[in-house]
Amino acid sequence: MTQISVRVDGVTYADDVEPRTLLVNYLREQVGKVGTVVGCDTSNCGACTVLLDGVAVKSCTVLAVQADEAEVTTIEGVAAPDGTLHPLQRAFHELHGLQCGFCTPGMIMASIDLLRDHPDPSETEIREGIEGNLCRCTGYQNIVRAVQHAAGEMSGRARSDGPASDRSASPADVDTAAAPHAVVRA
Amino acid sequence: MTVTEDRAATGAPEKEVGKPRRRKEDARLITGRTLWTDNLVLPGLLHMSVVRSPVAHARITGIDVSAAQQAPGVLAVLTGRDLADEQGSLPCAWPVTPDMVNPGAPAVAVDQVNHVGEAVAVVVARSRAAAADALELVDVDYEPLPPVLDMEAALAEGADLVHPGTASNRSYHWVFDGGEAGTAADTEQAFADAEVVVSRRFVQQRLIPAFMEPRSVVVQPQGDNYTVWSATQVPHILRLMLSMVTGIPEHKVKVIAPDVGGGFGGKLQVTPEEVLTLLAARRVGRPVKWTETRSESLMSAHHGRDQIQYIDIAADREGNVKGLRCRILADMGAYLRLITPGVPVLGAFMFIGIYKFPAYRFECDGVFTTKTPTDAYRGAGRPEATFAIERIMDELAVELGMDPLEVRRKNWIRAEEFPFTTAAGLEYDSGDYEAATQKALELIGYDELRAEQRRRRESGDPVQLGIGFSTFTEMCGIAPSRVLGSLSYGAGGWEQASIRMLPTGKVEVVTGTSPHGQGHETAWSQIVADQLGVPFEDVEVLHGDTAVSARGLDTYGSRSLVVGGVAVVKAAEKVVAKARRVAAHLLEASEDDLDFAGGSFSVRGTPGTSVSIQEVSLACFTSHNFPEGMEPSIDAEATFDPENFSFPHGTHICAAEVDTETGRVTIRKYACVDDIGEIVNPLIVEGQVHGGLAQGIAQALYEEAVYDADGNLTTGTFVDYLVPSAADLPHFDTGNTVSPALANPLGAKGVGEAGTIASTPAVVNAALDAVRHLGVTDIRMPLTPERVWRALQGGGDGGDRATAGTTAYGGAQTETTAGVSTPQSSLGGDR
């Protein structure tokens, strides 16, 4: 057993861990941060993504001992202390960027990292930026929109012209504007 | 009792149905406050791990568990021999023919293993790590048997048998002949008389549902009662089947599906591990948890598709279709799971698609192989059917030198012909294929794309452009119990709902459907808000716990809204009918004189007198002033069993670029217009279409479960099994037309599978359209760059994806498996 001290979502924990313990298992089983989930065993799916000292990592690829003296932020720590949701959490909800929700914690954490590097990403930059996170439900379109929407909100830009106006519209509005619902036969 | 006036005076609130309501479910999912089964911790919880066969086919000659039993923290090691007398056989609920061969399916192998990944023993230990460590200490001796991998070889005379004691590897032979059934003309005659016959062999590759949440089960024994938490789509079916399999009385088993992370048919199952966790918990008398790894999931959770399709189409020279003949080989894998044999049968009626075939015959052989069992995967039978018909219509068009859309248009059912009874005997309820097609053509900018295609052809551009259509329909809302009975399915298809009116006027809706990402909590709230005139926020939807939702048949087959949602409507109607009687009593009026609108009963022609349904609810609670002879409750339940399926349809158009130098296929544009009847929540509908498209496109371009020559799954991780990422998929342009369903009062048709069913042939047709002029006539799915390149170079369909070699025992790759695709080779790298 090795002793580590980790600050997780603003709280410091001192724990004994087996050297082989993965960070994700430490978070889930010892700290109780079950919002961070395990979706694969080859670091492909990204469901376990957390921020380690502010940088997105797949916590199944990090040993718990590597997080000693580090700061970990999980999905459970991104909302403000008063419960106000992070702009990305709000955007995923508003733009229907999730269905079963299993990939969502990792997807949001990866997107936080993406927007730190690219505050105003293009659609392609978003798609490439989150390609390490798999989603089986959404086809990604509304995730992409959610990230764009949150980017606008986080940088405080008013998006009122051009294609950027899509960013404040709901996906249903956007697509039905392109293809209005028509009652063929009553 | 206060009688308020304002509610009636303000008029009816805005209708909830049709609004893009944001989902109620999201709050817990975006904050990580979710109850996935694996999150569950109980006092004294133990962990189970499963020893799995590393060989495809072998007799078990010995198992030594002594070292594992001595390992630290291990409470029990149980082999098939230990559990043989209590494990029963995993259920198959769909004996499609009276003489179907079902050799039985042990949860844990006793004498013989029949696929890689089959359970051989389980370890129960104090921690997850201890259970995993002890796995390595279980020593199993195998006496190898020849693997049985190729369906056509498996059916040949003298083939090695998967199951000893069977006469062949054929499980069943199932036939639908329209001539014999009296629903169509004689097929042989139609082909004998035909001016043109086109025959093709299509391969539906094996797929893996690959839900994001790995399966997980927790069983808590309490006396002779058992509570089972499982990441399942089907808690009600699971409860019944666990009881039937293990002999534990049904009323002693409670099943809870908590938050479930996707299913796509992959969690429509009674799994070996659910049975084993229950048996292990019973043995040790403590709660036991099993959670699979992704590798275990890909290897042992059921797979999907895997058909070889021989399709013949007969037509005249003008392109009028005369007959369709389908001969299908369907890979069952090693065992018949819950509805394994029925999946091809679900597709049997849909091979004729939207077209007016005068003659139709379908026959299917279910074949055993030494691979993971197949079962439902999104669409279940209907994607296979849609692929075959939409591909063969293109082949017919090519043969006749006609435009593929023109051939379709010439033969499809016209809007004024609905309801239409097809050659397969189904009555299609409603639709307008022309309207959907017109809108889809506009959406994708068809004329410009065709012009660009011409330019590229003429200039000999190395990147060619193609356009592919899929004008599809599906039967969904898996329900009508009598129809399911006529197909020998082991259960009905009804759905139940109940509504509880609480004293404060809030409403609890209990549904028998079991959502795992679909958003029933939101959509059902919208329905009930309209029906009862209560605020959306005042409705709570309860599901997934058999003690709360006593009756239900769960979620699959695009059935939840069109069966379960309608049950909610029916229950609400009963609540209103009961409340009307109470309201009449409170208002001292006749029931016949009451209007119900916006949640209030008012006396017709007497403004200012009204009582809200919430007030009626409180009156029920106090029961101080209640109609004589009426029980003091307005709660109600309803069970709905529709008369018919519903038939969503749509036109999907894909424009794909094929790089003739690299073989890479890129979707340039994708547009679809789906007609799913009335829409309850357009946001949810759009999401379902997007996700469906992703899975259908993935079949066309990326995904394939590959076995090597020894029967090893070589795509056993997400490194090799290519679930597409955001960078691999295009933007989708989606739209809807609305032809209300006739079989239910919501007018809804179901949307869960539409995108998956429709999209696969559109993509393949597009890719072929791009390269037909270069001599390519078919390319096997998935259309990896390697296959496309090979087809362009040497003709043929691109061939198999490296099944010749072996990675036996998970060892190093041999040179013959070097062709197995990697993300780099088959996704074409960055986009």
Side-chain angles (χ1 to χ4, degrees), chain B residues 413-612:
Chain B
I413 301 158
R414 295 193 306 276
E416 65 273 19
E417 293 175 316
F418 287 98
F420 184 91
T421 303
T422 73
L426 293 176
E427 187 186 275
Y428 289 3
D429 52 354
S430 62
D432 189 335
Y433 305 143
E434 183 63 49
T437 301
Q438 281 305 330
K439 291 178 70 67
L441 289 169
E442 289 164 25
L443 209 52
I444 202 161
Y446 181 66
D447 294 337
E448 288 164 41
L449 285 167
R450 278 287 183 219
E452 182 183 335
Q453 181 184 37
R454 274 193 299 278
R455 285 198 301 276
R456 290 194 184 207
R457 288 236 175 129
E458 284 159 12
S459 69
D461 194 317
V463 178
Q464 289 290 314
L465 183 66
I467 301 167
F469 292 95
S470 174
T471 51
F472 87 108
T473 188
E474 56 157 321
M475 58 188 239
C476 81
I478 298 305
S481 296
R482 288 182 207 86
V483 177
L484 294 175
S486 73
L487 295 172
S488 308
Y489 182 60
W494 47 264
E495 195 47 79
Q496 198 185 46
S498 56
I499 294 179
R500 306 173 188 157
M501 301 299 293
L502 305 182
T504 55
K506 309 299 184 192
V507 182
E508 283 178 341
V509 178
V510 181
T511 179
T513 65
S514 195
H516 38 282
Q518 291 87 349
H520 297 177
E521 292 168 28
T522 304
W524 281 207
S525 296
Q526 290 179 265
I527 291 169
V528 170
D530 279 358
Q531 292 292 323
L532 300 182
V534 299
F536 170 78
E537 295 77 10
D538 286 1
V539 183
E540 189 72 16
V541 178
L542 307 174
H543 57 79
D545 180 337
T546 59
V548 174
S549 162
R551 297 185 72 218
L553 284 169
D554 308 317
T555 288
Y556 43 85
S558 305
R559 69 188 302 274
S560 292
L561 177 61
V562 298
V563 194
V566 175
V568 170
V569 172
K570 300 284 184 186
E573 287 170 352
K574 289 185 182 177
V575 169
V576 172
K578 288 186 185 181
R580 180 182 296 275
R581 193 166 161 202
V582 180
H585 176 78
L586 296 173
L587 294 168
E588 296 176 351
S590 161
E591 281 186 57
D592 298 339
D593 293 338
L594 293 189
D595 286 329
F596 180 66
S600 280
F601 294 95
S602 55
V603 183
R604 204 170 305 124
T606 313
T609 57
S610 72
V611 59
S612 73

Side-chain angles (χ1 to χ4, degrees), chain A residues 18 20 25 28-29 33-42 44-45 47 75-79 85 88-90 92-105 108 123-124 126-128 130-142 144-145 169-176 178-186, chain B residues 20 22-23 26 29-34 36 38-39 128-129 133 208-214 260-262 264 293-295 377-378 415 418 429-432 435 439 443 516-517 675 679 682-684 686-688 690-691 694-695 698 703 717-719 721 723-727 729-732 734-740 830-831:
Chain A
E18 281 192 63
R20 65 172 173 172
N25 294 128
R28 286 179 58 79
E29 291 163 22
K33 292 285 180 181
V34 291
T36 302
V37 296
V38 182
C40 74
D41 45 14
T42 49
N44 288 88
C45 81
I75 187 67
E76 298 174 58
V78 298
L85 295 175
L88 273 160
Q89 289 175 308
R90 278 202 299 279
F92 271 66
H93 173 61
E94 275 302 311
L95 281 290
H96 190 30
L98 66 151
Q99 290 178 31
C100 86
F102 195 78
C103 75
T104 308
I108 288 176
E123 178 179 337
T124 305
I126 294 171
R127 285 182 180 272
E128 289 176 355
I130 61 170
E131 74 176 342
N133 290 70
L134 297 178
C135 169
R136 193 59 158 165
C137 293
T138 65
Y140 301 103
Q141 187 151 319
N142 290 342
V144 172
R145 284 175 170 146
S170 91
D173 292 345
V174 171
D175 275 4
T176 52
H181 286 213
V183 177
V184 172
R185 257 175 349 126
Chain B
R22 304 307 188 263
R23 297 196 322 165
D26 293 355
L29 297 168
I30 57 178
T31 51
R33 307 275 190 241
T34 327
W36 311 114
D38 188 52
N39 290 359
R128 188 192 303 262
D133 289 346
I208 305 180
F211 35 76
M212 288 311 300
E213 180 209 13
V260 176
F264 316 110
T293 65
R294 178 58 58 182
S295 305
Y377 171 50
R378 204 170 191 170
F418 287 98
D429 52 354
S430 62
D432 189 335
K439 291 178 70 67
L443 209 52
H516 38 282
D675 192 328
I679 291 170
L683 197 68
I684 290 176
E686 190 195 34
Q688 286 291 319
H690 287 174
Q695 289 181 19
E703 295 180 20
T717 71
F718 276 160
V719 180
Y721 189 81
V723 170
S725 78
L729 290 169
H731 176 89
F732 311 119
T734 62
N736 292 103
T737 55
V738 179
S739 305
D830 292 336
R831 295 169 54 141

Side-chain angles (χ1 to χ4, degrees), chain A:
Chain A
M1 289 285 184
T2 307
Q3 193 172 51
I4 58 171
S5 172
V6 190
R7 197 164 169 80
V8 183
D9 296 335
V11 176
T12 303
Y13 300 86
D15 279 309
D16 291 328
V17 297
E18 281 192 63
R20 65 172 173 172
T21 303
L22 299 173
L23 178 57
V24 66
N25 294 128
Y26 171 70
L27 290 172
R28 286 179 58 79
E29 291 163 22
Q30 281 182 260
V31 186
K33 292 285 180 181
V34 291
T36 302
V37 296
V38 182
C40 74
D41 45 14
T42 49
S43 300
N44 288 88
C45 81
C48 64
T49 305
V50 300
L51 302 183
L52 184 63
D53 287 335
V55 177
V57 296
K58 293 180 178 179
S59 60
C60 72
T61 347
V62 177
L63 294 167
V65 292
Q66 291 176 282
D68 188 24
E69 301 298 325
E71 171 113 30
V72 174
T73 307
T74 78
I75 187 67
E76 298 174 58
V78 298
D82 69 352
T84 303
L85 295 175
H86 188 281
L88 273 160
Q89 289 175 308
R90 278 202 299 279
F92 271 66
H93 173 61
E94 275 302 311
L95 281 290
H96 190 30
L98 66 151
Q99 290 178 31
C100 86
F102 195 78
C103 75
T104 308
M107 203 62 90
I108 288 176
M109 300 315 288
S111 300
I112 289 173
D113 193 62
L114 170 72
L115 292 184
R116 200 198 52 210
D117 292 342
H118 301 277
D120 186 21
S122 67
E123 178 179 337
T124 305
E125 282 171 330
I126 294 171
R127 285 182 180 272
E128 289 176 355
I130 61 170
E131 74 176 342
N133 290 70
L134 297 178
C135 169
R136 193 59 158 165
C137 293
T138 65
Y140 301 103
Q141 187 151 319
N142 290 342
I143 292 177
V144 172
R145 284 175 170 146
V147 175
Q148 281 179 320
H149 183 81
E153 189 182 328
M154 287 164 73
S155 61
R157 288 185 296 275
R159 301 192 176 273
S160 57
D161 56 350
S165 62
D166 281 1
R167 295 174 185 189
S168 57
S170 91
D173 292 345
V174 171
D175 275 4
T176 52
H181 286 213
V183 177
V184 172
R185 257 175 349 126

Side-chain angles (χ1 to χ4, degrees), chain B residues 663-687:
Chain B
R664 179 170 154 190
V665 179
T666 308
I667 294 179
R668 164 82 169 278
K669 271 182 118 171
Y670 195 100
C672 62
V673 174
D674 284 287
D675 192 328
I676 55 155
E678 298 290 354
I679 291 170
V680 172
N681 184 324
L683 197 68
I684 290 176
V685 162
E686 190 195 34

